Amino acid sequence: MRALRVLREVDLIAAEDTRRTARLLQHYSIATPATSLHEHNERGKAPHLIARLQAGASIALVSDAGMPLVSDPGAWLVTAAREAGIPIQVVPGPSAVTAALAGAGMSGPFGFLGFPPSSGRPRKDWMRRLAEMGGLTVVFFEAPHRMAKTLGELHTLLGDRPIMVAKELTKVHESLVEQPISTWLDAPEGPALDRGEFVVIVPPWLDVGDNRAEPPGGEAVLHEMGDMTNRQGMKPRAAAKALAAKYRLSADDIYELHSKREK
């Protein structure tokens, strides 16, 4: 109700897609004018909107599905408004991140990684960051045309562990299904991977506990690495990176010790 009141009372609505927002406004008989603000025009349009705010106008920022700024437009406008001393009021709305965590029953610490880069070095760095977050629940978004590729790389990186894939959260056809990565790739029982908006939840695969500052001896680390590669199916490089993050050690040193033992 507060969101509807705000949309009625502001002077302008900055919307990611004015066509989608128009259907919402029409449904609730809201006549407030709207202007587009998306990833391709936000940087150039923000100064004009800031000028209107400084002149006394009020503007509501909305995105198509989810919370503005959470892998959605709005960062340029909000940052510019704060720098100009313009007060920001947040009206909480749907967020796929928190909805997915609640639906999955995950109440502990988590890391949100947004969308994986599509290719190249940024994608490799993104996957490395994920591998190093083994003590946390990891949440990220993915587009339907890249789901199969991303899950395949996740399988190579972490082994065939159960993950949760949420689709169309807070919408009519929402679903949240947990199954091994290989099942998603080979014969998915849950939502189809070729359409929709996805949230992927990777539960923690390392128990970091209180021992991050006190790493065990080399043999113990190698034994743990052997368990991760043999029983859990992780690749040696990914296991070394995860252990390095867990114990604040060098991933290269762990991998080198492992390679010598394997020889």
Side-chain angles (χ1 to χ4, degrees), residues 171-222:
K171 302 177 185 177
V172 174
H173 301 293
E174 73 173 15
S175 63
L176 178 61
V177 178
E178 178 183 20
Q179 56 190 10
I181 299 174
S182 62
T183 306
W184 283 109
L185 293 171
D186 298 336
E189 298 292 337
L193 298 178
D194 60 348
R195 58 186 180 274
E197 295 182 339
F198 294 95
V199 184
V200 180
I201 305 170
V202 185
W205 59 93
L206 290 176
D207 181 14
V208 298
D210 296 325
N211 55 6
R212 282 178 57 92
E214 298 181 5
E219 285 298 318
V221 172
L222 289 178

